[in-house]
Amino acid sequence: MTATKLSCYNRGCGQEYVEAENSDVACQYHEGVPEFHDALKGWTCCKKRVTDFTDFLAIKGCCVGKHSNVKPVIPEKTPEQIEDEKRRSVPNRAPIDEKLAAPRPKATPPVRVALDCHDKLRQTAAAAKAKWVAEKEAAMRPPEVKEGDLCKNNACGKEYKGVASNSETCMFHDGQPVFHEGFKFWSCCEKKTHDFDVFLAQAGCTAGKHVWYKPPEELNPTVDLRQDFFQTGDKVTVTIFSKAIDPELVAIDVGNLQLRAHLVTCQGQTYELDVELFAEIDVASASARLLSTKLEISFKKKEIDTWTSLDLKS
């Protein structure tokens, strides 16, 4: 008589087992819970973090023990946690600035501001950009597929066992994982469940070929650089901090009521600044200077006054 196979509900395992063959080292699992924060995915019980959901599913368990077909209990939220979530969901409304109600002069079209940059800094930036391009091209070359490598398609989980694996049919999800209001499902088939282990065990809804290699994710095309400003009685200086700005791809445009900056780093990421200025400025006085760690944009105020912010709407 064939022994009954049971499903293991230990997090991160998902295998079937026979109770008679169960032992203290049969299961490799996670004792923590899934954690998704700032595009990083991992388990609370171990330190490894990845950005791709398939890579998250492939993270091997950090604990060893017996298989269990008892579903883990999901702890209920405490009253304090519920109140904290409610408090975080209340939007903060910015106070209305008195400047918004004051009459504003007519805006003039922005003009391009020449960039002051030392030749040595231009050479350093060009070398950094060339290095990044070479590293990117090297990273995009696919490595040799080895036995035991997992298919990168969502929810497949099959291992490469030789060239025969290339002719197998791969069942996978071509959508994205969705976690909404306690439900967990794939956007391509929307089989909703509250149980994370049931979600992980959902068979793929799309047939195709195995994918043994995915090129590394491109850097976010935009980057959020730190920006600040300081002022004297009649002058304002805006500073954008970065050690990797490409001087050949900097565009600064200034109008009497507007500042625009378009920057590209030596790693191909862009930064955009578009500000409706707190008060009118003298466009002819505007200047821009690129240093090794920052970009400075300076201009004079039309009237000597204290600006409470750079942006009128802040």
Side-chain angles (χ1 to χ4, degrees):
M1 183 176 178
T2 304
T4 302
K5 286 190 176 182
L6 304 174
S7 296
C8 179
Y9 289 108
N10 287 338
R11 294 186 176 97
C13 176
Q15 297 182 7
E16 292 184 339
Y17 68 98
V18 176
E19 185 59 43
E21 300 173 357
N22 201 3
S23 70
D24 291 337
V25 294
C27 179
Q28 193 172 359
Y29 65 98
H30 293 285
E31 64 178 0
V33 296
E35 184 176 54
F36 305 99
H37 181 67
D38 289 343
L40 295 177
K41 304 168 182 66
W43 296 86
T44 57
C45 51
C46 49
K47 295 181 179 179
K48 186 169 183 179
R49 295 293 182 271
V50 296
T51 55
D52 187 83
F53 192 77
T54 303
D55 292 337
F56 161 72
L57 297 180
I59 297 176
K60 292 185 177 180
C62 56
C63 300
V64 175
K66 286 187 174 182
H67 289 299
S68 172
N69 73 332
V70 178
K71 293 184 179 181
V73 178
I74 301 175
E76 295 184 1
K77 294 181 180 179
T78 64
E80 290 78 10
Q81 290 174 321
I82 295 174
E83 286 300 319
D84 183 60
E85 289 181 359
K86 289 181 179 179
R87 185 169 60 255
R88 290 173 182 270
S89 66
V90 177
N92 294 322
R93 297 182 180 273
I96 298 176
D97 198 302
E98 293 181 0
K99 278 280 184 180
L100 290 173
R104 297 272 285 176
K106 184 178 180 180
T108 60
V111 297
R112 183 63 49 90
V113 178
L115 179 68
D116 180 16
C117 179
H118 196 279
D119 289 342
K120 185 175 181 180
L121 184 57
R122 292 183 185 273
Q123 295 170 3
T124 301
K129 183 176 181 179
K131 181 182 177 183
W132 170 73
V133 170
E135 291 175 348
K136 180 182 177 182
E137 291 176 349
M140 296 297 287
R141 298 190 192 103
E144 180 184 354
V145 181
K146 300 177 182 178
E147 289 195 11
D149 286 352
L150 293 175
C151 175
K152 304 303 181 184
N153 286 333
N154 287 329
C156 172
K158 297 291 185 180
E159 294 184 357
Y160 180 77
K161 297 181 179 179
V163 292
S165 297
N166 293 328
S167 59
E168 294 176 352
T169 299
C170 174
M171 296 303 298
F172 65 99
H173 293 289
D174 63 357
Q176 297 298 320
V178 180
F179 305 96
H180 181 65
E181 294 182 350
F183 285 102
K184 304 164 183 67
F185 58 95
W186 293 93
S187 61
C188 48
C189 53
E190 297 193 4
K191 293 180 180 178
K192 298 183 179 180
T193 178
H194 287 286
D195 191 296
F196 190 76
D197 295 303
V198 173
F199 165 73
L200 294 180
Q202 287 182 2
C205 59
T206 303
K209 294 292 184 181
H210 291 302
V211 174
W212 306 114
Y213 169 77
K214 282 187 178 180
E217 292 184 5
E218 293 281 349
L219 284 173
N220 190 333
T222 61
V223 62
D224 187 16
L225 301 179
R226 185 166 68 91
Q227 172 256 318
D228 200 0
F229 86 102
F230 66 90
Q231 60 185 311
T232 58
D234 67 340
K235 186 178 180 181
V236 174
T237 299
V238 180
T239 306
I240 302 171
F241 296 91
S242 175
K243 295 180 180 180
I245 296 175
D246 186 347
E248 305 304 324
L249 297 174
V250 174
I252 309 296
D253 297 306
V254 174
N256 66 327
L257 295 172
Q258 189 173 36
L259 167 63
R260 294 176 183 166
H262 172 83
L263 318 176
V264 180
T265 70
C266 297
Q267 288 76 40
Q269 295 175 291
T270 61
Y271 172 80
E272 302 280 351
L273 178 67
D274 192 347
V275 176
E276 184 178 355
L277 296 170
F278 187 82
E280 190 175 14
I281 68 166
D282 178 10
V283 176
S285 68
S287 63
R289 181 174 63 150
L290 182 61
L291 304 174
S292 60
T293 59
K294 60 186 177 180
L295 170 67
E296 290 185 343
I297 307 167
S298 301
F299 41 78
K300 289 185 177 181
K301 305 172 184 177
K302 273 285 188 179
E303 296 180 2
I304 298 179
D305 192 10
T306 300
W307 290 16
T308 58
S309 65
L310 177 67
D311 193 336
L312 176 69
K313 299 178 180 179
S314 295

